[in-house]
Amino acid sequence: MSQEIVTRRVTAPEIRIRKGGEPIVALTSYHANTARIVDQHADILLVGDSLAMVLYAMDSTLGVSLDLMIAHGRAVVRGSKRAMVVVDMPFGSYEENPEIAFRNAARVMQETGCGAVKLEGGVRMADTIRFLIERGIPVMAHIGLTPQSVNTLGGFKTQGRDTALWPLIKADAKAVSDAGAFSVVLEGIVEPLAAEISREIAIPTIGIGGSVECDGQILVLEDMLGYNPKPPKFVKVYGAVGTAIEEAVKAYADDVRSRKFPGDEHIYLLK
């Protein structure tokens, strides 16, 4: 009797021990169809609160609710089999105190089946990160350009251009590492600083606008596929999916208007 092969997901401890080893491949995913495709090649699928801007045309990530993140997280878990799924904790769901953060993170884990949560902040969030991990919730940290702090940062600005601020950013990285995060996203940090942090801390760094010396890289899937006509500087566009979709839609519209579609092969004839 044949046995079905069970695919086992990548886990937080497996990502943690990749420090200094094979680079970690991470991409965002917001729904089951992309999750199914990306799952074959990525180690981590991040259900990012960036979906606010990518899918819902919001100006920032601040308008995303916990329910929305859970709905998209559930879809990505259903659409994937191998990659670790990490779900962003949305703005307002974890900052108040560790107890509230745990309650909301536990709900995310229970209702989506994901493998970890991600939250933004360094030194100020270290106690919360430690609190969650001690209670069984793996945490991916996120420092540097933290989009949920866009209003206090004064916009989406590169971090570390002023070398006088490097000790503060390094302190954030060390704090989340010491608190037990299994990895940390370094976003929008000047290359020399991102490289130094990657060499100095004990956990894997995952760069987005960081350094090739990071232990892994992440991009927003829609950016690298060419959906975004003005992607950020740190994005390498690997496809022209946006153009391909427009061409396909135009061909369909032309066929409908000229009555070329549907053809005989697309309709049901009376037998």
Side-chain angles (χ1 to χ4, degrees), residues 35-127:
R36 176 180 52 80
I37 296 169
V38 178
D39 184 55
Q40 304 171 64
H41 307 285
D43 303 302
I44 297 172
L45 297 179
L46 174 65
V47 186
D49 59 359
S50 50
L51 63 84
M53 304 167 78
V54 176
L55 298 186
Y56 294 99
M58 298 181 190
D59 293 330
S60 73
T61 63
L62 302 182
V64 175
S65 69
L66 190 64
D67 286 342
L68 192 62
M69 293 306 303
I70 288 172
H72 284 277
R74 187 181 295 127
V76 171
V77 170
R78 287 175 177 169
S80 60
K81 295 180 179 179
R82 189 193 66 84
M84 179 182 190
V85 177
V86 179
V87 178
D88 263 344
M89 296 296 293
F91 178 71
S93 68
Y94 62 92
E95 298 91 340
E96 188 171 353
N97 59 54
E99 289 77 13
I100 289 176
F102 173 76
R103 188 178 310 127
N104 288 328
R107 185 180 163 209
V108 170
M109 298 282 289
Q110 289 172 334
E111 296 186 27
T112 68
C114 70
V117 299
K118 180 172 77 65
L119 52 82
E120 297 181 2
V123 171
R124 66 182 176 85
M125 293 310 304
D127 287 343

Side-chain angles (χ1 to χ4, degrees), residues 120-240:
E120 297 181 2
V123 171
R124 66 182 176 85
M125 293 310 304
D127 287 343
T128 295
I129 291 171
R130 185 176 293 106
F131 190 90
L132 296 182
I133 293 166
E134 288 174 350
R135 287 154 182 79
I137 297 178
V139 177
M140 173 185 284
H142 183 158
I143 66 168
L145 198 175
T146 47
Q148 292 177 9
S149 300
V150 62
N151 290 321
T152 54
L153 293 174
F156 297 97
K157 296 181 178 180
T158 304
Q159 303 297 298
R161 292 199 185 279
D162 182 353
T163 56
L165 298 178
W166 282 26
L168 294 177
I169 300 173
K170 285 187 174 185
D172 280 339
K174 185 176 187 304
V176 300
S177 177
D178 290 349
F182 70 89
S183 63
V184 57
V185 172
L186 306 183
E187 180 169 357
I189 295 176
V190 292
E191 196 281 334
L193 177 56
E196 281 193 24
I197 290 172
S198 297
R199 291 191 294 267
E200 291 175 0
I201 67 172
I203 61 174
T205 57
I206 300 176
I208 178 167
S211 171
V212 72
E213 291 193 40
C214 290
D215 298 289
Q217 303 294 330
I218 187 168
L219 285 176
V220 171
L221 181 66
E222 283 76 2
D223 284 348
M224 58 89 77
L225 289 179
Y227 279 88
N228 187 347
K230 295 181 179 179
K233 172 184 173 63
F234 55 75
V235 173
K236 179 177 178 179
V237 178
Y238 285 85

